[in-house]
Amino acid sequence: TSPHWKAVAVSTDDCKRRVRKGSRVTLLAPGGGVGSNGKSYLALGRDGRLHVEVVGRKSMEYDQYPEDWVSGKTPPNLASFGHDVIE
């Protein structure tokens, strides 16, 4: 199935407006760079305008690439896990 979201380019001003309104940042831990980008995610979490949440863990059954990737697998995979998170 196709995802129910799409990536869009937004202006800096639009980003600032969205942040002022309060935003949620949800990170999918497997493959989300939580370890390598952890300091940045912690800094975002200290910003009172944002709610930062980390979901998932590595080595779980969904911690594998989707089937349309090289060596990808059928669900459960990162795509199906991400879809379940946003539902």
Side-chain angles (χ1 to χ4, degrees):
T1 63
S2 62
H4 297 280
W5 52 268
K6 63 180 180 177
V8 295
V10 294
S11 69
T12 302
D13 289 338
D14 188 36
C15 287
K16 288 178 183 177
R17 267 192 303 282
R18 290 176 189 215
V19 169
R20 275 196 294 272
K21 290 181 179 178
S23 297
R24 172 184 289 272
V25 177
T26 302
L27 305 164
L28 299 182
V34 174
S36 59
N37 299 315
K39 289 181 182 180
S40 297
Y41 295 144
L42 286 172
L44 285 174
R46 286 191 292 271
D47 185 323
R49 300 168 293 176
L50 299 173
H51 173 78
V52 178
E53 175 183 37
V54 177
V55 295
R57 294 192 338 238
K58 69 178 183 176
S59 301
M60 300 300 288
E61 65 180 345
Y62 51 78
D63 187 9
Q64 55 191 355
Y65 290 115
E67 57 194 324
D68 55 343
W69 285 56
V70 174
S71 302
K73 306 289 183 192
T74 58
N77 55 39
L78 291 169
S80 64
F81 177 65
H83 183 264
D84 289 346
V85 168
I86 62 171
E87 285 291 307

